[in-house]
Amino acid sequence: MTHHDRQAHAALTTLILLQIIMLSALYAGIRPHPPVATPLFGIAPYLGAAVSIAVAAMIVQPLATTTGRVLSVVAALMALVSFGPQKYFDAQFALIWPAVILGQLAALVIFVRVIASRQKEETAQHAAASAGQA
């Protein structure tokens, strides 16, 4: 496993743990915790889905395949519902800022690693195509 793969795995693990802890706080009723529901969906099923996608990204290798990269980006985007920049305006921000900042950093690492791995793959494909023409 390369250093970049480890970074992606660490970022996905961070998002998984943050979401599981928030879900546990919701079930235990420990403040601050996410709301039980948002206008569009129940938060517990949403967090379950977000964690599942992050785990799936780790299983299929987050940077090795197109599937892994897509799942990694989807996992990061889903986590940003809970930890995105909109949380700076949340009334409870003073209580949740460590999770918000860490969640944003983890999502950023995922985005950077996915973009870099995709560019590396395209460069390798282009080089192979150029070598085949020679």
Side-chain angles (χ1 to χ4, degrees):
M1 183 180 301
T2 69
H3 182 67
H4 294 155
D5 290 326
R6 289 183 196 280
Q7 289 175 347
H9 274 90
L12 286 165
T13 301
T14 298
L15 295 179
I16 290 167
L17 290 172
L18 283 171
Q19 291 173 106
I20 288 173
I21 289 167
M22 292 306 291
L23 185 60
S24 299
L26 172 67
Y27 288 150
I30 301 168
R31 296 223 173 253
H33 60 72
V36 174
T38 66
L40 300 175
F41 51 79
I43 200 70
Y46 181 83
L47 289 175
V51 168
S52 297
I53 289 171
V55 170
M58 291 175 71
I59 290 170
V60 299
Q61 300 300 313
L63 304 179
T65 64
T66 300
T67 302
R69 288 188 291 271
V70 168
L71 287 172
S72 295
V73 168
V74 170
L77 291 172
M78 289 182 79
L80 288 178
V81 169
S82 298
F83 307 112
Q86 74 280 5
K87 293 299 181 176
Y88 292 113
F89 305 104
D90 190 300
Q92 296 190 62
F93 182 73
L95 301 173
I96 61 172
W97 68 267
V100 170
I101 292 171
L102 187 59
Q104 289 176 9
L105 288 173
L108 180 62
V109 167
I110 291 167
F111 296 143
V112 167
R113 286 291 111 230
V114 166
I115 290 168
S117 73
R118 182 67 186 136
Q119 289 174 341
K120 182 179 174 183
E121 182 179 295
E122 288 175 358
T123 302
Q125 289 174 351
H126 182 66
S130 296
Q133 292 177 353

